[in-house]
Amino acid sequence: GQQVMQIPQYQHVQEGEDFTTYCNSSTTLSNIQWYKQRPGGHPVFLIQLVKSGEVKKQKRLTFQFGEAKKNSSLHITATQTTDVGTYFCAEENQGGKLIFGQGTELSVKP
Amino acid sequence: DTAVSQTPKYLVTQMGNDKSIKCEQNLGHDTMYWYKQDSKKFLKIMFSYNNKELIINETVPNRFSPKSPDKAHLNLHINSLELGDSAVYFCASGRDGYEQYFGPGTRLTVT
């Protein structure tokens, strides 16, 4: 069935280091969304990518959508302790259903 | 004002009991969802309602029954609770093709 693979599952970084999480799909995606869930919190929408090769930035966060629309990445430059949480990618199928990746849990050591 | 609210935030109950979780959104969205997040943080959709009509019904035991009295509310009733039902349940709302807004979650613990 439809599945989005997300890696790595965990990432521990020193504050100031960069961080990247990747999502891959075996099928072409119509769009991809990214969410962040802080510890004990709920998923919060970050961004949606729609176009092939699209790159969007939000301050230290850079989101990319692959040319073939089968993969996506989220890169954080110079991580801070406030970046701690689990980052999820999610694809939307034609039925409007969001299929979430497994998530990447980021911990940042000050 | 809270966009998507859920009650209760915590729910501890014994096996075999029946419980309900309530959800309300004030965003004017037509579509509401229920998700289950397990101990490994995997988020899986359970149900989706569009304007009070059931749209998505994943492979969920029929002990779980959603009810939407109006498009701003989507409640989840669970019969005969089992240990494996322990999880965090999130309600969400949104419009097709756009982002979803999640409630704060209900942590259900079945003992």
Side-chain angles (χ1 to χ4, degrees), chain A:
Chain A
Q2 204 170 5
Q3 202 170 8
V4 179
M5 302 302 296
Q6 188 173 356
I7 56 169
Q9 189 175 0
Y10 301 98
Q11 186 79 57
H12 309 285
V13 300
Q14 191 77 33
E15 189 172 22
E17 292 181 341
D18 293 355
F19 158 77
T20 306
T21 173
Y22 302 89
C23 278
N24 292 287
S25 172
S26 57
T27 59
T28 302
L29 306 170
S30 58
N31 64 65
I32 195 152
Q33 299 180 13
W34 285 91
Y35 291 78
K36 176 183 178 182
Q37 183 177 17
R38 293 182 187 273
H42 57 277
V44 174
F45 174 78
L46 293 176
I47 210 158
Q48 177 172 275
L49 304 173
V50 179
K51 299 177 183 176
S52 166
E54 190 169 14
V55 178
K56 286 188 177 180
K57 291 192 175 185
Q58 289 179 352
K59 297 183 180 178
R60 294 178 294 103
L61 276 61
T62 302
F63 303 85
Q64 292 189 324
F65 203 6
E67 292 290 342
K69 298 181 74 172
K70 288 188 175 182
N71 58 72
S72 182
S73 65
L74 158 59
H75 179 83
I76 303 179
T77 304
T79 54
Q80 299 174 358
T81 54
T82 52
D83 296 325
V84 163
T86 302
Y87 292 85
F88 293 95
C89 61
E91 61 165 323
E92 186 183 24
N93 70 2
Q94 288 185 347
K97 183 170 72 173
L98 273 186
I99 310 294
F100 281 84
Q102 297 92 331
T104 297
E105 185 175 339
L106 172 65
S107 61
V108 180
K109 188 174 180 182

Side-chain angles (χ1 to χ4, degrees), chain A residues 33 35 37 41-43 45 48 86 88 92 95-98 100 102 105, chain B residues 33 35 37 41-43 45 56 58 90 96-100 102-104:
Chain A
Q33 299 180 13
Y35 291 78
Q37 183 177 17
H42 57 277
F45 174 78
Q48 177 172 275
T86 302
F88 293 95
E92 186 183 24
K97 183 170 72 173
L98 273 186
F100 281 84
Q102 297 92 331
E105 185 175 339
Chain B
Y33 311 83
Y35 289 87
Q37 186 170 48
K41 297 189 179 176
F42 183 59
L43 264 170
I45 191 165
I56 296 171
E58 291 296 291
F90 287 103
D96 286 353
Y98 295 89
E99 68 270 28
Q100 294 184 14
F102 285 76

